[in-house]
Amino acid sequence: MTDTVIQVACAFFAVLMFAAVLEVPRKQKPLAALCGAIAWWSYLMIYNFSHSSLRAAFVSTLVVAVISHRLARIRKAPVTVFLIPGILPAVPGAAIYRCVYYLIRNNSYATTYYLTQTLQIAGAMAMAIFITDSFSRLFQLRHENRGKRL
Amino acid sequence: MDERKLLRAVVTAGEIMLVSGAEVHRVEDTMNYMLAHAGCETAETVVYTTGILVSLITASHEPLTFVKRISERSTNINRIYLVNDISRRFCAGTLTVDEVLAELEKASRAVQYSRLAKSAGIVGVAAFFSPIFGGGVPDFAGAALVGVFLALANRISIRFKLNDFCANAFGALVAAFSASALGDLFPMMQSDVMIISSIMTLVPGVTFTTAIRDTLNGDYMAGAARMTEAVVVALAVAAGVGSGLFLYQMMGGAMR
């Protein structure tokens, strides 16, 4: 439990620090960091529950994508502002680095392992974002149509 | 309406977004919104990761085309935010084309954080990612120190105008070397954890995920290009870490 709290706090500050590197707009910085913390918290919750990093990455990205879409509406900013910081902690950066590292060290077993992991996690996260985008477009369309009918 | 000016404004908006790392379909959407607002019915935009093409038919039935080559990309969310805001205001009718051009010129040079803040960011990311990779308190301190070296390496790369590949490889080399040295000096620190958490700012995790998103959106060219970009960046980082470790071993683990 304390471990979770520490990790989530670290995810918050890590994303807050990352915001300077990615030039996140100053006004949205705390909220963006909060997205990162929420994403990592839901990742840990689901990982502890199912012991599958794939499921954890998928569901946590789904959560953060929905939140990003809502925040984008409220704060009148593009979704990217909240989405990119939000997915930072779960994104398979370490896995893709390890994959190429073992490739040049000629360790084909580890290369395959990390390549699979990279593709699975990045694929799951991209799928989660894609689903959220599609649904939000659907609702937007319905919203606009309703406006026209009136 | 001066269509040449409009075309320039639209392409500049797209260029800033693409250079700042926006997804291809978002860039196309923004440009199409602006063109539609200006009343260009027969306009076509094509955006690749490495270039933009826009072509439209003017009121006097003349075709007009603008091609823009994009050679560098990094992530700058603030510029995406600013361009989005400008296009929103243009489509709401509160900005003229001339004002859009002036605002875009300002947005393309917008910098929010000083170099020192960015260096602090690199150090902070290195430190705060270490618990996520299973590090303890010593690793936190060690990773922060490695982050300082990485930030210094980053400043040197900027100073000598190194290209992206060399800058990433050099940063990773410095990080791997200093992390191994620290790991030998202080046995309670895990050099593995320190390396991986300090290179989080270099590693192309977001690029790879965006590549798959582009592919799912049907932008196959952009997806393939971005995936290749991610692999090249990862190769630079891995080569840097590999040579950093090799260098340290060759020096006989000088700290032991």
Side-chain angles (χ1 to χ4, degrees):
Chain A
M1 187 63 214
T2 43
D3 192 46
T4 309
V5 173
I6 292 170
Q7 284 218 11
V8 171
C10 281
F12 179 85
F13 286 110
V15 176
L16 199 67
M17 290 305 196
F18 225 130
V21 182
L22 298 178
E23 290 262 353
V24 175
R26 254 174 220 277
K27 263 192 283 178
Q28 326 287 358
K29 207 164 83 167
L31 273 178
L34 197 65
C35 279
I38 291 171
W40 194 242
W41 181 65
S42 42
Y43 182 96
L44 289 176
M45 293 297 275
I46 291 149
Y47 188 79
N48 289 338
F49 187 65
S50 68
H51 293 284
S52 150
S53 52
L54 200 59
R55 255 174 252 175
F58 181 77
V59 179
S60 68
T61 309
L62 210 56
V63 169
V64 84
V66 171
I67 295 176
S68 302
H69 271 279
R70 290 307 310 156
L71 281 177
R73 263 291 149 78
I74 298 166
R75 310 282 294 212
K76 289 200 166 44
V79 182
T80 319
V81 173
F82 306 104
L83 190 62
I84 300 289
I87 63 173
L88 271 177
V91 124
I96 186 173
Y97 146 73
R98 284 193 174 120
C99 166
V100 181
Y101 178 74
Y102 287 116
L103 186 71
I104 58 180
R105 293 298 286 261
N106 201 16
N107 181 343
S108 55
Y109 175 74
T111 307
T112 322
Y113 174 76
Y114 285 114
L115 179 64
T116 316
Q117 204 183 17
T118 307
L119 285 173
Q120 281 178 333
I121 294 182
M125 296 180 71
M127 195 71 104
I129 297 169
F130 182 69
I131 291 170
T132 321
D133 281 351
S134 309
F135 268 100
S136 97
R137 216 166 291 169
L138 204 69
F139 285 126
Q140 226 170 314
L141 224 62
R142 246 183 56 188
H143 202 73
E144 277 167 21
N145 285 346
R146 197 186 302 151
K148 265 176 213 153
R149 236 175 279 144
L150 281 173
Chain B
M1 162 91 50
D2 186 348
E3 274 127 341
R4 278 159 208 279
K5 232 177 222 169
L6 171 74
L7 195 57
R8 214 170 71 216
V10 169
V11 171
T12 314
E15 183 193 357
I16 297 171
M17 290 184 83
L18 200 57
V19 169
S20 307
E23 316 92 292
V24 163
H25 90 100
R26 174 181 288 285
V27 178
E28 276 184 4
D29 272 1
T30 305
M31 290 166 67
N32 284 333
Y33 274 134
M34 288 174 76
L35 285 166
H37 169 75
C40 290
E41 298 280 316
T42 47
E44 207 64 61
T45 58
V46 180
V47 177
Y48 299 123
T49 317
T50 51
I52 298 176
L53 292 96
V54 182
S55 143
L56 56 84
I57 310 276
T58 63
S60 51
H61 302 291
E62 293 270 331
L64 208 60
T65 306
F66 202 124
V67 181
K68 186 80 202 170
R69 176 80 168 90
I70 308 290
S71 52
E72 53 179 319
R73 270 171 309 284
S74 58
T75 309
N76 188 322
I77 295 177
N78 186 41
R79 287 185 192 159
I80 300 178
Y81 173 69
L82 289 174
V83 173
N84 187 69
D85 191 49
I86 293 166
S87 97
R88 199 190 284 257
R89 270 151 64 206
F90 176 66
C91 292
T94 51
L95 283 183
T96 64
V97 177
D98 284 301
E99 284 166 340
V100 167
L101 273 170
E103 292 267 325
L104 285 174
E105 172 65 23
K106 252 191 278 170
S108 70
R109 280 184 280 111
V111 178
Q112 287 190 100
Y113 300 96
S114 65
R115 274 197 217 152
L116 192 68
K118 274 188 192 146
S119 298
I122 293 173
V123 177
V125 170
F128 284 110
F129 260 108
S130 63
I132 291 174
F133 290 112
V137 177
D139 298 311
F140 184 88
L145 203 58
V146 175
V148 172
F149 288 120
L150 181 60
L152 284 176
N154 183 41
R155 291 290 275 276
I156 292 171
S157 312
I158 293 171
R159 181 99 172 68
F160 288 101
K161 295 199 170 70
L162 287 185
N163 60 22
D164 279 354
F165 190 93
C166 294
N168 285 331
F170 178 57
L173 186 152
V174 170
F177 189 88
S178 51
S180 318
L182 277 175
D184 271 354
L185 266 178
F186 306 100
M188 64 278 203
M189 291 181 184
Q190 301 153 268
S191 56
D192 190 45
V193 172
M194 291 188 289
I195 292 175
I196 201 85
S197 63
S198 60
I199 60 172
M200 280 313 282
T201 37
L202 307 177
V203 130
V206 174
T207 312
F208 199 85
T209 310
T210 311
I212 300 185
R213 285 174 61 196
D214 278 338
T215 311
L216 285 176
N217 272 318
D219 297 318
Y220 300 116
M221 298 266 274
R226 228 185 267 271
M227 210 167 286
T228 316
E229 186 189 338
V231 170
V232 171
V233 174
L235 180 63
V237 175
V241 171
S243 35
L245 295 177
F246 180 71
L247 209 66
Y248 186 72
Q249 271 164 14
M250 245 183 35
M251 290 166 65
M255 300 294 176
R256 245 174 298 182

